[in-house]
Amino acid sequence: MDKTDPDYAPFDFVAARQRMVDAQVRPSQVNNPVVIAAMRALPRELAVPESLRAFAYSDNNLPLGEGRYLTEPRVTARMLQVAEITQGERVLVVGAGTGYLAALLGNMDMGLEVFALESETRLADIGRALCFTWAPAVHWREGALVRGDAADAPFDLIFIDGAVKEVPPALAEQLRDGGRIIAPICRDSGVTSVCRVLRTPQGSAAQPLFDVAGPLLPELEPAPAFVF
């Protein structure tokens, strides 16, 4: 609508944000007050390109380009809740994209040290701008997602913000003893479940927590196998 039109009214992002929490997040079994408070405060519309801001609070995965998506709010909230975050943990977000999950972690008032790893400069620039104002303590790193962030390891907690077929071994190696990875994993059955992944002497073990519908992170898709 033309802003000069007398009937023009700007979109009320604050009201939309509260509706997102009340109609999407809380009915999805999210009752952690720290998670809810962060989602009520953080302007999700700043984590999407300007052309998509009117859709920022919809219950969908929003396309960001390059095959990447902003995860729907209720899934982000449940991932934060099942992570069982404790005070002062070191946290890495892999596939940080436009910074929404990293900024939420930075707003949780738990003394977390948060690192955001992204390989797409355009998305990272949006994320840095969001965090500059809303979560200035978040450390941004650019590099290949499959390699993780060895320079800042070890971490107590690693999030993968997008679905994967399997967790790259480098990420499990960057966990502190007793640490965990929270990631949507698409199993051979085609069902994608957010899982808690623990490092074990035999490798890593994944415990499915809840099912989701989400696109794969293109960069972390396994290479096609040769068939003879």
Side-chain angles (χ1 to χ4, degrees):
M1 182 179 290
D2 187 343
K3 293 183 180 181
T4 62
D5 190 311
D7 294 325
Y8 170 79
F11 191 88
D12 190 341
F13 288 112
V14 174
R17 186 155 59 251
Q18 307 318 309
R19 286 195 300 272
M20 175 194 75
V21 173
D22 292 332
Q24 299 176 44
V25 172
R26 296 187 68 183
S28 298
Q29 305 173 43
V30 177
N31 51 28
N32 184 316
V34 178
V35 173
I36 289 172
M39 297 194 82
R40 286 198 187 280
L42 187 67
R44 183 177 163 89
E45 68 272 16
L46 300 183
V48 297
E50 191 168 354
S51 61
L52 290 176
R53 287 185 177 176
F55 305 97
Y57 295 100
S58 64
D59 56 348
N60 295 297
N61 299 299
L62 292 181
L64 300 173
E66 289 86 39
R68 300 289 295 279
Y69 290 80
L70 178 64
T71 303
E72 64 177 300
R74 66 179 184 87
V75 174
T76 297
R78 291 192 72 184
M79 288 176 65
L80 287 168
Q81 177 160 284
V82 301
E84 299 179 345
I85 301 167
T86 60
Q87 193 77 22
E89 290 194 304
R90 289 169 54 83
V91 186
L92 172 66
V93 180
V94 175
T98 54
Y100 182 66
L101 176 54
L104 285 172
L105 289 159
N107 272 267
M108 288 177 63
D109 195 25
M110 297 181 68
L112 305 177
E113 189 171 9
V114 182
F115 297 82
L117 174 66
E118 180 48 55
S119 57
E120 294 284 350
T121 298
R122 181 182 65 84
L123 301 182
D125 286 346
I126 296 173
R128 285 194 184 94
L130 171 64
C131 289
F132 180 81
T133 301
W134 291 92
V138 172
H139 308 284
W140 278 84
R141 304 289 187 257
E142 284 194 55
L145 306 185
V146 71
R147 296 177 185 167
D149 180 16
D152 297 304
F155 302 99
D156 300 289
L157 172 61
I158 297 175
F159 286 98
I160 302 180
D161 197 6
V164 295
K165 288 286 189 180
E166 58 187 25
V167 172
L171 298 187
E173 292 170 3
Q174 291 168 20
L175 284 175
R176 194 186 303 275
D177 287 346
R180 68 275 188 214
I181 296 171
I182 301 296
I185 298 178
C186 182
R187 293 168 284 176
D188 292 339
S189 64
V191 175
T192 300
S193 301
V194 168
C195 298
R196 180 186 293 111
V197 181
L198 304 177
R199 185 178 178 182
T200 72
Q202 294 76 34
S204 59
Q207 174 193 11
L209 301 173
F210 62 93
D211 293 344
V212 296
L216 290 167
L217 272 172
E219 189 176 330
L220 296 185
E221 288 192 55
F226 288 103
V227 178
F228 295 95

